[in-house]
Amino acid sequence: MKAVTTTGWGLKARLTLTDRQAPTRLGAEDVLVQVHAASVNPKDWKLNYHAAVLATPLMVNRLPPFFGDDLAGVVIDRGSKVTDFEIGDAVYGMDMRPRTASLAEQARISQKRIAKKPQSLTFAEAASMPLAAQTALQGLRKGGGRPGSRVLIIGASGGVGTFAVQIAKALDMHVTGVCSGRNIDFVRGLGADATIDYTLGDYRQSAGEFDLVFDVTSYETPLTCSALLGKHGHFISTGGQGVSMFGTPVYRLLGKKAGTVVVESWREDLETLNAMVESGQLKPIIDSVYPLADSEAAYQRNRSGRCRGKVVIDLAGD
Ligand SMILES: NC(=O)c1ccc[n+]([C@@H]2O[C@H](COP(=O)([O-])OP(=O)(O)OC[C@H]3O[C@@H](n4cnc5c(N)ncnc54)[C@H](OP(=O)(O)O)[C@@H]3O)[C@@H](O)[C@H]2O)c1
């Protein structure tokens, strides 16, 4: 089968299309999926980068040379204990071990990590969801978001942010989205009640207090956001940058409400998202679509940090 693999390491890693054997041995709870679409997340290239910077090429060499966590496709085989999915079912999900290896025509994935694809979504739209939308759902939940909560979403226009705004609104929260000026109307269109253009000045001192500050850029810490949090606000980060990775746990040790969301894929959460999709409250936003052979360009686009929604890899044209 056709699959993307990596050559080189750190930020010099390059993605190339190769031929390799399709997965053969299925675990009892695994299904084999004919992948119709996959999507791109910063985690893939950051994992290589952090391993290269923090450790040695040896550690990078231990990472499987396959990228891609999210997938949407059709079940073509299943393990002996798979009872909830039939061959021919359209499914979507992700399974990090540490990578699903979904930039390939076929991928193996546990039945616990997938759900039936919402009928109203294309495979490309469904593939954009598992990692980013579950990060948004699990982050809002971890931060205690509930109906009526005043939530500030920093990074509202990106992969995680576009889902976070819509999911928070679906859960009846009051949402303020932080984005650059070019994305203000776009974030309003996602349902945000208010927006802040971060390019106009340091809003962190003047924007008031929130019940939950959900920083999906990973640039902030509870300390940089202390005026936004007041005495009782909850800070949640996606933790993808060193400063938030180390700053947030330290703040928690001081007894403050702060945490980092580390996404996992669960069928129950995907089904919660399915219900939001089917009721018209949630719609994936696709920044751009690339064929499998252009995966390197897709990752370069993601690394630009300027994506509006998600970058998708299309393997089947449907
Ligand atoms: N811990 C986990 O489980 C987990 C899961 C998912 C993601 N993450 C991490 O979360 C981060 C975001 O992921 P993502 O997929 O959403 O990334 P992304 O799609 O690449 O984010 C791009 C967006 O960020 C916005 N942005 C850039 N600088 C900003 C700033 N200073 N303030 C507000 N918005 C800004 C950009 O808008 P403009 O162009 O308008 O600036 C763009 O729309 C990454 O670090 C990723 O590694 C962690």
Side-chain angles (χ1 to χ4, degrees):
M1 68 171 184
K2 297 271 182 250
V4 163
T5 189
T6 46
T7 53
W9 53 281
L11 284 182
K12 292 200 175 120
R14 288 286 169 270
L15 304 187
T16 46
L17 194 61
T18 54
D19 277 306
R20 82 178 153 93
Q21 203 188 352
T24 44
R25 279 180 302 169
L26 288 186
E29 299 239 37
D30 288 345
V31 297
L32 185 64
V33 174
Q34 184 74 37
V35 180
H36 287 226
S39 93
V40 172
N41 292 289
K43 174 205 156 233
D44 282 353
W45 52 266
K46 282 187 175 177
L47 205 56
N48 267 47
Y49 176 71
H50 287 313
V53 170
L54 296 173
T56 67
L58 278 177
M59 187 171 155
V60 180
N61 289 340
R62 291 211 181 119
L63 294 173
F66 311 118
F67 270 32
D69 285 312
D70 296 320
L71 61 74
V74 173
V75 175
I76 53 173
D77 199 1
R78 57 182 198 162
S80 56
K81 290 194 178 154
V82 175
T83 48
D84 300 335
F85 298 95
E86 306 284 341
I87 288 171
D89 280 349
V91 296
Y92 78 123
M94 65 147 187
D95 191 358
M96 302 191 279
R97 332 168 171 178
R99 288 170 175 163
T100 317
S102 61
L103 298 189
E105 289 175 320
Q106 294 179 13
R108 183 175 40 201
I109 190 164
S110 164
Q111 64 166 340
K112 294 180 194 156
R113 310 293 190 180
I114 57 173
K116 302 255 174 78
K117 177 181 82 67
Q119 285 191 347
S120 60
L121 295 187
T122 63
F123 283 98
E125 288 171 325
S128 77
M129 288 183 56
L131 194 147
Q134 288 187 98
T135 302
L137 179 67
Q138 291 165 15
L140 290 165
R141 188 191 292 149
K142 188 166 187 172
R146 56 180 61 85
S149 294
R150 290 177 53 79
V151 183
L152 184 73
I153 296 170
I154 306 176
S157 53
V160 177
T162 49
F163 286 118
V165 170
Q166 296 181 77
I167 292 169
K169 283 313 300 171
L171 298 174
D172 286 331
M173 299 176 203
H174 184 279
V175 175
T176 302
V178 179
C179 56
S180 69
R182 73 184 180 98
N183 283 321
I184 290 282
D185 289 345
F186 167 68
V187 170
R188 280 271 186 184
L190 295 174
D193 301 287
T195 47
I196 296 172
D197 177 354
Y198 70 84
T199 65
L200 294 181
D202 190 354
Y203 63 90
R204 296 170 300 183
Q205 303 308 320
S206 56
E209 293 181 7
F210 294 84
D211 301 311
L212 169 58
V213 173
F214 187 13
D215 172 34
V216 306
T217 66
S218 315
Y219 296 154
E220 303 293 344
T221 69
L223 215 55
T224 60
C225 292
S226 59
L228 299 167
L229 294 166
K231 276 199 180 134
H232 305 291
H234 207 133
F235 178 86
I236 295 292
S237 167
T238 51
Q241 307 285 338
V243 65
S244 57
M245 250 187 286
F246 298 114
T248 304
V250 169
Y251 197 78
R252 198 169 48 239
L253 285 177
L254 300 174
K256 307 284 187 179
K257 291 193 276 186
T260 302
V261 59
V262 180
V263 66
E264 275 220 66
S265 186
W266 298 111
R267 189 177 322 153
E268 297 73 24
D269 283 352
L270 291 170
E271 286 173 350
T272 298
L273 296 169
N274 282 8
M276 291 179 185
V277 168
E278 298 300 13
S279 65
Q281 295 170 301
L282 184 60
K283 174 90 180 146
I285 305 294
I286 308 295
D287 173 85
S288 44
V289 181
Y290 293 79
L292 188 63
D294 291 343
S295 294
E296 177 62 33
Y299 276 83
Q300 295 296 354
R301 170 70 190 148
N302 187 247
R303 270 189 213 168
S304 75
R306 299 274 81 85
C307 291
R308 192 183 262 183
K310 293 282 303 176
V311 176
V312 169
I313 308 281
D314 184 10
L315 288 91
D318 55 359

